[in-house]
């Protein structure tokens, strides 16, 4: 039996899921892939600062119920692109969970035009910010039985 060929969106989201396997904080494994013109520009996963101890090795640095030792996947993908001189203006990002508000603002200000995400993570405010910034949010999770509705922009706003 021949398996159906993955769409580009499925392909890049699967790569983001694989990138997430490199995460070094066991509280949540998140992966991100920055893409333009069907070409991968950068990847990132949630983990500690370069050369700093990982949560998996030394435990979590908790603040208000969140581990603050890690840098989020989206921020690491943007940082990796910057470190290597890769322009990401006009790109798209595939993330295994929707960005937190801080990461959303970061990717929007970097010129990323579309955020594809598989599951919703926490902050409903990104809807309004996306509308204001003209960033398209695309839900790619399971349709049946989902806990969160996809982030959709009103017609004609993105």
């Amino acid at each position: 039996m021949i398996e159906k060929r993955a769409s580009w969106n499925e392909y890049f989201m699967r790569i983001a899921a694989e990138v997430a396997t490199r995460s070094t904080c066991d509280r949540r494994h998140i992966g991100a892939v920055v893409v333009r013109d069907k070409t991968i520009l950068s990847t990132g996963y949630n983990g500690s600062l370069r050369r700093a101890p990982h949560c998996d090795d030394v435990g979590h640095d908790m603040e208000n119920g969140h581990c603050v030792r890690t840098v989020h996947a989206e921020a690491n993908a943007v940082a990796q692109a910057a470190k290597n001189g890769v322009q990401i203006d006009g790109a798209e990002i595939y993330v295994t969970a929707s960005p937190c508000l801080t990461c959303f603002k970061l990717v929007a200000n970097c010129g990323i035009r579309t955020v594809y995400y598989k599951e919703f993570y926490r902050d409903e405010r990104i809807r309004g910010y996306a509308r204001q910034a003209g960033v398209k949010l695309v839900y790619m999770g399971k349709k049946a039985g989902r806990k969160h509705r996809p982030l959709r922009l009103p017609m004609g706003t993105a």
Side-chain angles (χ1 to χ4, degrees):
M1 179 175 207
I2 299 174
E3 190 173 323
K4 180 183 154 234
R5 186 177 185 195
S7 70
W8 285 107
N9 287 344
E10 293 166 338
Y11 172 71
F12 291 124
M13 188 58 79
R14 286 178 188 169
I15 292 171
E18 188 64 28
V19 170
T21 67
R22 293 281 306 149
S23 295
T24 60
C25 181
D26 61 6
R27 289 178 50 85
R28 194 158 183 101
H29 290 209
I30 305 296
V33 178
V34 179
V35 174
R36 187 176 49 241
D37 298 327
K38 297 181 177 72
T39 301
I40 295 172
L41 303 175
S42 183
T43 65
Y45 53 86
N46 58 319
S48 298
L49 296 171
R50 289 181 184 271
R51 295 175 293 284
H54 299 296
C55 297
D56 290 352
D57 299 327
V58 297
H60 303 287
D61 184 3
M62 300 299 291
E63 185 176 289
N64 297 321
H66 304 283
C67 180
V68 296
R69 181 182 305 281
T70 62
V71 178
H72 289 187
E74 307 91 316
N76 271 328
V78 168
Q80 188 69 23
K83 180 178 183 285
N84 291 301
V86 177
Q87 181 189 36
I88 59 174
D89 187 36
E92 306 171 321
I93 191 167
Y94 293 80
V95 193
T96 55
S98 62
C100 69
L101 183 57
T102 299
C103 286
F104 175 78
K105 291 187 289 186
L106 175 70
V107 300
N109 270 1
C110 287
I112 290 176
R113 306 309 310 154
T114 306
V115 177
Y116 296 91
Y117 67 98
K118 195 166 186 174
E119 68 177 85
F120 183 77
Y121 175 72
R122 190 178 313 224
D123 203 327
E124 295 281 341
R125 294 176 294 174
I126 66 173
R127 294 177 196 269
Y129 282 98
R131 229 180 339 273
Q132 293 169 4
V135 175
K136 186 176 177 184
L137 300 167
V138 180
Y139 174 72
M140 290 185 60
K142 294 180 180 178
K143 302 292 184 206
R146 65 177 177 242
K147 293 181 181 177
H148 301 282
R149 71 182 200 270
L151 299 176
R152 294 182 200 249
L153 296 175
M155 295 297 289
T157 60

